[in-house]
Amino acid sequence: MPIDPTVAIGADLGETRFSWTTSDVLLYHLALGAGASPTDPAELAFVLEDRLRVLPTFGVVAPGFRTFEPPAVRFPGIELDLSKVLHGTQSIAVGGPLPASGAAVARSRIADVWDKGKAAVIVQETTVVDATGVPLWTTSSSIFARGEGGFGGHRGPSASVAVPGRAPDRVIETPTLPQQALLYRLCGDRNPLHADPEFAARAGFDRPILHGLCTYGMVCKAVVDSMLDGDVTRVASFATKFAGVVFPGETLRIRVWTTDTGYTLTTTAAERDDAPVLADTVLTLA
């Protein structure tokens, strides 16, 4: 089915009512590698419910946390082959600390569709409010669909985030586990690209790749731990572009520059000669 931007752009994707518990948050943090030092008080704040700090990136996965089927990429005017789809960008802005448990309503829409010639980019925006209508967070994400361009749409923006012209203020190295993707898929993303070697081969990879949102959460946690003393309440927003894949077991090398509003980051795969993983990454302080 070709993409029809006249139908897709602005399409209301409806409401999703969802809830979460401390167990969901604990599983999410563990799937990001929290608790690797199991007696460290800073790590215990992410893995014990009696002192739980919630990473703001949990808001990205919370609405679909109990999704148990592989995702179908079907929207008004859009139907895509899952094997051709990769995560393009992701951001979240929070109104304050995320509660460790609660109930909320998410409303989503297709904000834009870009025609990159050989690929299409679909941009989705979601607002989340609590049961009384108080805003909790907003997210924006895009997916990159290979081979789905050429439908006559506009190309979209091409601006990038400038990295300061100096050495990074800090370099953080964060290992991923060989089984990291198998853990993270329990947080709601059952795309077989991250677990099934045969599916990964059909998508052009020699083995399953790590979820982009797992890398996204791991990098956010690493910066919160290293630059903010674990204080999740200091994060106002976190945004990135997925620039390359991570294979489970690789080490994330995160370069951090301090800015007037927070931090600018890049992330690479250390074992593959610093192959780009995340780019245009900005953490804004509250």
Side-chain angles (χ1 to χ4, degrees):
M1 172 182 171
I3 293 174
D4 185 346
T6 63
V7 174
I9 296 174
D12 186 344
L13 303 182
E15 288 185 351
T16 300
R17 295 183 177 272
F18 64 100
S19 62
W20 67 99
T21 68
T22 56
S23 293
D24 299 325
V25 177
L26 296 174
L27 175 57
Y28 174 71
H29 289 165
L30 288 167
L32 299 181
S37 299
T39 59
D40 182 346
E43 287 298 300
L44 292 177
F46 289 106
V47 296
L48 289 181
E49 58 275 15
D50 63 352
R51 65 203 75 178
L52 188 56
R53 300 173 177 175
V54 184
L55 277 170
T57 52
F58 175 74
V60 172
V61 303
F65 202 87
R66 294 187 177 89
T67 300
F68 304 118
E69 297 296 328
V73 192
R74 297 188 185 94
F75 308 112
I78 300 170
E79 186 168 347
L80 303 176
D81 181 346
L82 183 60
S83 68
K84 296 180 178 180
V85 171
L86 293 171
H87 211 141
T89 62
Q90 183 66 59
S91 69
I92 186 166
V94 297
L98 271 59
S101 61
V105 179
R107 177 169 284 280
S108 301
R109 71 183 188 101
I110 300 297
D112 214 343
V113 180
W114 304 332
D115 187 344
K116 299 295 188 180
K118 294 183 178 180
V121 176
I122 295 91
V123 183
Q124 182 174 325
E125 293 179 350
T126 301
T127 59
V128 176
V129 300
D130 70 13
T132 65
V134 174
L136 293 175
W137 65 82
T138 62
T139 65
S140 176
S141 64
S142 69
I143 56 174
F144 186 87
R146 295 170 294 175
E148 298 293 341
F151 53 84
H154 65 104
R155 286 191 59 84
S158 57
S160 60
V161 175
V163 172
R166 65 177 193 274
D169 298 302
R170 189 163 299 178
V171 178
I172 309 164
E173 294 203 345
T174 299
T176 67
L177 297 170
Q179 69 271 35
Q180 198 87 53
L182 300 179
L183 287 166
Y184 188 82
R185 69 191 296 270
L186 302 180
C187 298
D189 187 343
R190 301 296 177 93
N191 187 338
L193 177 62
H194 308 296
D196 184 342
E198 293 182 1
F199 187 94
R202 291 200 301 272
F205 300 102
D206 60 4
R207 60 190 188 276
I209 62 175
L210 189 61
H211 305 71
L213 285 184
C214 184
T215 303
Y216 175 78
M218 291 184 74
V219 170
C220 183
K221 181 180 183 299
V223 175
V224 167
D225 288 343
S226 182
M227 308 300 290
L228 302 178
D229 294 324
D231 187 354
V232 297
T233 68
R234 295 181 63 190
V235 180
S237 65
F238 186 57
T240 199
K241 178 174 74 175
F242 299 100
V245 300
V246 175
F247 295 100
E250 292 184 328
T251 301
L252 304 176
R253 181 172 289 149
I254 306 159
R255 294 172 172 85
V256 185
W257 290 265
T258 302
T259 67
D260 291 341
T261 58
Y263 305 103
T264 296
L265 324 169
T266 64
T267 303
T268 58
E271 291 85 354
R272 283 184 287 123
D273 297 322
D274 279 330
V277 171
L278 300 183
D280 296 350
T281 310
V282 175
L283 187 152
T284 303
L285 296 177

